[in-house]
Amino acid sequence: MDEPPDQESLEGTIERIVFQNADRGFTVARLRTDAALVTAVGLLPGVSPGNRVKLLGRFIENPRYGEQFEVRSFSPAIPTDLAGLERYLGSGAFPGIGPVLAHRIVEQLGEESFAVLEDDLERLAAVPGLGVRRAMELANGWRGAKGQRDLLLFLQAHGLSAAISQRLVRHLGPRALDRLREEPHRIAQGVPGIGFRLADRIALALGTSPGAPSRVDAAIVHVLAEATAAGHVYAPEAFLGEALDRLGVPGDAVADALARLEGEERVTVERGEAGLRIFPAPLHAAEVESASLVCSLALGDPPGQPLDGPEALAVVEESALVRLSPGQLEALTAAIREKVLVVTGGPGTGKTTLVRALLRLWELRGVRPLLGAPTGRAAKRLAEATGHAAQTLHRLLEWSPSLGDFARGPDRPLEAEAVLVDEASMIDLPLLHRLLLALPRQAQLVLVGDADQLPSVGPGAVLRDLLDSGRVQSTRLTEVFRQSGRSLITAAAHQIRAGLEPAPGAPGDDFLFVEREDPDEAARAICELVAHELPARHGLSPREDVQVLTPMHRGAAGTRALNEALQRVLNPDGPELRLGERLLRQGDRVMQLRNDYERDVFNGDVGRVLRVDAPGGRLWVELDGRELEVDRDELDDLALAYACSVHKAQGSEYPAVVLALLDQHQPMLQRNLLYTAVTRARKLAVIVGSRRALGRAVANARQGDRFSWLAERLRSCSR
């Protein structure tokens, strides 16, 4: 095949690896060609010194390192003649085989060398000085290299990268292509980092028909997984059908596939008046059992010594040194008689004061409480506000990394007579299910949250469903107390919740709207605000006190571009570590992107880079008060956090919030997202963007509707 006009090919032997990322395959290598020693950079996964390779790419001039060959694709260069075979075998690519032994193999086996290496271990082992062990290693290495070459050529012919083929070979072995031909969807999706769409491209390239049962089954499971990632618990029949149609799945193949998957207990299908509801089987079980557990938990009286009537409320007020509003008194009265209670309310409506009163009530009744929250930041705020220990729900339920499961459950319930969970809007269905399983049957459960915030990242709309069901006692706090009602942040939040555009504010106010229509101008205004204006006007630390929020990751006013711009302004110099296009520098504000239970750090934890060891490819970060070492292969777990998405900010509060809100954010312009962003600010909230985007967000009251059947199941509970 001819190379494209802007590319050229090189063939040679890898002499030295300068740098290689084991997971991504990005490599800097020295390649010995017949003419020169060349520095090759790009995706060369799995290559090592001694490997002979063919590269396709182009020469570039790196301003720092000089001339380099930028690799676009590569394949192992398997020789086709005896002279090439001798060079290849003696190149160091095969352990224990040097030039002398390579010459002896080719000399003794002659033209049959290729066939013997492929499939005649006995003759290969008979070569003097080779032996059975080294012959086996050589044969396996030869077949592996040939299998990788065949797979590379096949995948690259269909537009798939060398990194993908290397990953497949690493997990599937030298017969990767043969195994893929047998069951392409199942085999490919079993390899980490390869999902349905990539597996489907491979399968279709291998000749799998669009209506093949294995493909239809995999497509249904994929659509359900995508629905779950979007927050849905099930997929309605029409929703599933439209998604499968976009994937080219024949409609007449779906019914049989659903029957197969249901028989394998991978999906559960319910039939309703509006058609089928198709659940991933684990989520269906979690929803059904959660409804049953809530209904059974609600039966009976709350634990502890009897304490009832107005006198009891007066005792609580007096001992807690608070004066409760009518709404708070109503919630406290419900807590005296109900075993399951939901308390919701906006900012400044006294939820924290009520929690303190509840703790005093439990103390007077002799009840042992446990306090929890979905995130570490929310748990820390809860502990600080109440003076009572609080933990993340994962810690409360004792997540075990070694078991991959919670230690607390029906056989080992929580040691408490009351459990209070703050920021309940963030609880997804699987977590609710595990919490309910771990609650003692006599315990009381109180969920506190703001129903107008964004729903959980995970599947379900737990807080909304509990409130909508009418089966659970609930109280909404409405009276605003914060700063005696004078806070413009609080006023703006309540205006947004009511569907009204907030007043724009003025310099010096704690809520301000800065109009910028153009995304690039908005990004520049945000950098100026964070770096100069807010520190000068309000005495804020730009790195510690100000959090930039944005609805989306892409675009000039998305998290990626804003983080890069803010890094240039706030932390332009110092020791740094680069991974591809990503750059982390000493002093940078960073966020953890993955739960790491062994090191006790969680998705969303924010900290800063303390030190950088660039030659060693590692750095040290402070997260939640702990110093952690992060090596190069773990850097994908960290991201710059000068700017983050509104979803990532759930459960957190910051001294100051600057929100980007522009027309380009149209897919995410929703009232609950805007409301959530503004309520993250304690002292100052600034919106930078267009009035049109602000108006659209306020007007869009759709809560990102989720397919969930929990409310209906709760309604059907027998009382």
Side-chain angles (χ1 to χ4, degrees), residues 103-156:
H103 177 73
R104 192 178 302 159
I105 292 169
V106 172
E107 184 180 51
Q108 179 153 333
L109 299 176
E111 295 294 336
E112 296 182 61
S113 296
F114 294 96
V116 170
L117 283 166
E118 187 72 32
D119 195 31
D120 196 340
L121 181 62
E122 186 175 345
R123 283 190 64 189
L124 185 61
V127 173
L130 193 58
V132 174
R133 182 181 62 80
R134 274 196 291 189
M136 289 179 63
E137 291 175 349
L138 175 58
N140 287 335
W142 171 265
R143 287 194 294 268
K146 187 174 183 299
Q148 181 180 357
R149 176 180 179 273
D150 292 343
L151 184 62
L152 274 166
L153 294 175
F154 170 79
L155 294 179
Q156 290 181 23

Side-chain angles (χ1 to χ4, degrees), residues 194-476:
I194 296 181
F196 169 81
R197 293 186 184 278
L198 189 51
D200 197 44
R201 285 179 64 187
I202 296 170
L204 292 173
L206 287 166
T208 302
S209 69
S214 61
R215 180 176 188 262
V216 181
D217 291 357
I220 290 173
V221 171
H222 164 69
V223 171
L224 290 178
E226 284 201 328
T228 298
H232 303 299
V233 178
Y234 70 90
E237 184 176 6
F239 177 98
L240 178 67
E242 290 171 5
L244 292 175
D245 186 59
R246 289 193 294 272
L247 293 172
V249 173
D252 57 5
V254 175
D256 289 343
L258 287 176
R260 281 192 303 273
L261 293 169
E262 196 167 18
E264 296 170 5
E265 299 183 349
R266 298 171 70 187
V267 306
T268 302
V269 180
E270 290 186 341
R271 289 156 180 84
E273 294 180 2
L276 303 180
R277 296 186 294 272
I278 300 97
F279 295 77
L283 283 182
H284 180 266
E287 190 175 81
V288 169
E289 193 164 15
S290 292
S292 175
L293 288 168
V294 168
C295 292
S296 63
L297 185 66
L299 299 175
D301 298 320
Q305 299 298 319
L307 187 66
D308 207 348
E311 297 82 3
L313 299 177
V315 170
V316 170
E317 282 189 302
E318 183 178 346
S319 59
L321 300 177
V322 294
R323 177 65 63 185
L324 300 177
S325 71
Q328 291 169 327
L329 288 170
E330 179 187 339
L332 203 60
T333 301
I336 291 174
R337 64 172 188 266
E338 301 287 345
K339 282 189 67 191
V340 180
L341 174 65
V342 176
V343 179
T344 184
T349 56
K351 294 191 296 293
T352 301
T353 299
L354 176 63
V355 170
R356 293 195 196 102
L358 275 171
L359 288 170
R360 184 58 182 143
L361 172 66
W362 285 329
E363 184 181 349
L364 292 171
R365 298 185 77 171
V367 172
R368 293 174 301 160
L370 283 174
L371 271 59
T375 68
R377 293 163 293 162
K380 184 177 180 180
R381 283 175 45 218
L382 180 61
E384 291 171 348
T386 62
H388 192 287
Q391 303 177 74
T392 65
L393 292 179
H394 278 77
R395 289 175 186 156
L396 206 66
L397 297 172
E398 296 181 17
W399 174 264
S400 169
S402 59
L403 297 175
D405 200 359
F406 294 106
R408 294 287 181 176
D411 299 329
R412 188 168 171 257
L414 294 167
E415 296 172 9
E417 294 155 313
V419 173
L420 182 143
V421 181
D422 197 16
E423 296 287 353
S425 63
M426 299 179 67
I427 301 175
D428 61 22
L429 176 64
L431 190 55
L432 173 73
H433 179 227
R434 298 312 300 264
L435 175 63
L436 292 169
L437 285 173
L439 277 175
R441 293 306 92 197
Q442 74 278 8
Q444 184 175 24
L445 175 63
V446 178
L447 301 176
V448 181
D450 189 340
D452 296 307
Q453 287 188 25
L454 288 167
S456 58
V457 174
V462 166
L463 189 59
R464 183 201 69 186
D465 286 347
L466 290 172
L467 292 169
D468 289 350
S469 72
R471 185 65 178 80
V472 175
Q473 180 67 40
S474 64
T475 299
R476 178 182 281 273

